[in-house]
Amino acid sequence: MRDYSGYSDLARNLCQKAGGEIIDSNVKVITKLQKFSVKCKDGHVWLTNLENLQYNRWCLQCSRKFSMLKLMESKKYKASLKIHEIRSFVENKNG
C-alpha cells in the first residue's frame, strides 16, 4: 500500500505559502487527485486537489481580480481611457 502521509503535509504547506488553509477537518490523508476544500486569505472557498496546488492553480476569484488589475495597469487600457477622456472633452465643447 502506498504511503500518502507526505501528500497531506505537502498540501498543507502549499496552502500556507499561498496564505490559505485546508478547511476539510474530515480529510486526514490526501492523495494527489482527491478533492478537498481550501480557503484563501480573502475568504474564498473552493474544491481543489494536490495536483492543482502543485501547479500553482490557486483561488479563481483572486486570479480574476489580479488579472483585472493587470489589465487596468496595461498601456492599452490607459490609452483607451485617454481616448474616452478626449471624446468626452470634444462632446462637452461641441454640445
Side-chain angles (χ1 to χ4, degrees), residues 51-62:
E51 189 171 81
N52 284 336
L53 296 178
Q54 288 177 309
Y55 286 103
N56 293 320
R57 295 182 195 119
W58 191 237
C59 176
L60 185 58
Q61 291 178 3
C62 290

Side-chain angles (χ1 to χ4, degrees), residues 3-55:
D3 179 20
Y4 294 108
S5 60
Y7 286 173
S8 299
D9 293 337
L10 179 59
R12 282 179 177 63
N13 289 337
L14 290 170
C15 285
Q16 287 174 353
K17 278 185 181 179
E21 63 180 322
I22 296 173
I23 59 171
D24 273 343
S25 58
N26 59 344
V27 175
K28 303 293 184 218
V29 177
I30 293 174
T31 63
K32 207 161 179 92
L33 298 177
Q34 175 189 353
K35 297 276 186 175
F36 50 90
S37 296
V38 173
K39 181 167 69 171
C40 74
K41 64 182 176 183
D42 290 337
H44 306 130
V45 176
W46 73 101
L47 282 175
T48 192
N49 59 37
L50 177 59
E51 189 171 81
N52 284 336
L53 296 178
Q54 288 177 309
Y55 286 103

